Amino acid sequence: MSAALNELIVESLEDLKGKNIVQLDVRELSDVMDTLIIASGTSSRHVKSLANNVVEDAKHAGHQPLGVEGVDSGDWVLVDFGDIVVHVMQEETRGFYELEKLWSMEPGNRAEH
């Protein structure tokens, strides 16, 4: 089920021209989720549209998100499907938080905090 939902999410993001879509397998780093999907939007409206498209496409396929956060601001929207968590962000926000680096398995790329 996760592989099919994963594919559906990526296609949904691609349908609305999501930028720089990345899928990260985080099973070895998290007990909470298996996959992190990150995509960028070009504006707050684009970020909201991308996230809404993911939610609607998933619902039509029978997958109800557990939660959606950040839609009001449009800088960063998180869609939680349990095993899969989707982050849709504006480029500037994405660059600031560097989630790919934070969730990287490579020790040299892990953010130090």
Side-chain angles (χ1 to χ4, degrees):
M1 179 176 101
S2 286
L5 179 56
N6 215 42
E7 187 175 318
L8 180 138
I9 291 167
V10 170
E11 288 175 4
S12 182
L13 292 166
E14 289 174 344
D15 284 348
L16 290 186
K17 310 289 187 233
K19 307 281 185 201
N20 195 15
I21 301 167
V22 174
Q23 299 176 66
L24 300 173
D25 181 340
V26 295
R27 286 177 287 197
E28 292 184 32
L29 300 171
S30 172
D31 294 333
V32 181
M33 63 186 147
D34 295 341
T35 306
L36 197 59
I37 299 175
I38 306 167
S40 296
T42 56
S43 66
S44 62
R45 177 176 280 171
H46 191 214
V47 167
K48 291 176 189 181
S49 295
L50 287 164
N52 286 332
N53 202 47
V54 167
V55 169
E56 290 304 313
D57 286 354
K59 283 182 181 177
H60 287 298
H63 303 284
Q64 183 71 30
L66 300 175
V68 180
E69 298 178 24
V71 176
D72 292 341
S73 75
D75 286 333
W76 180 352
V77 180
L78 180 146
V79 184
D80 183 357
F81 289 100
D83 290 345
I84 301 170
V85 176
V86 183
H87 295 272
V88 184
M89 312 165 92
Q90 289 193 46
E91 285 290 346
E92 185 176 308
T93 304
R94 186 172 180 176
F96 181 79
Y97 286 100
E98 296 183 315
L99 291 183
E100 292 95 330
K101 193 179 283 189
L102 181 68
W103 285 96
S104 172
M105 286 293 293
E106 298 171 30
N109 287 340
R110 295 287 307 263
E112 298 294 325
H113 293 285

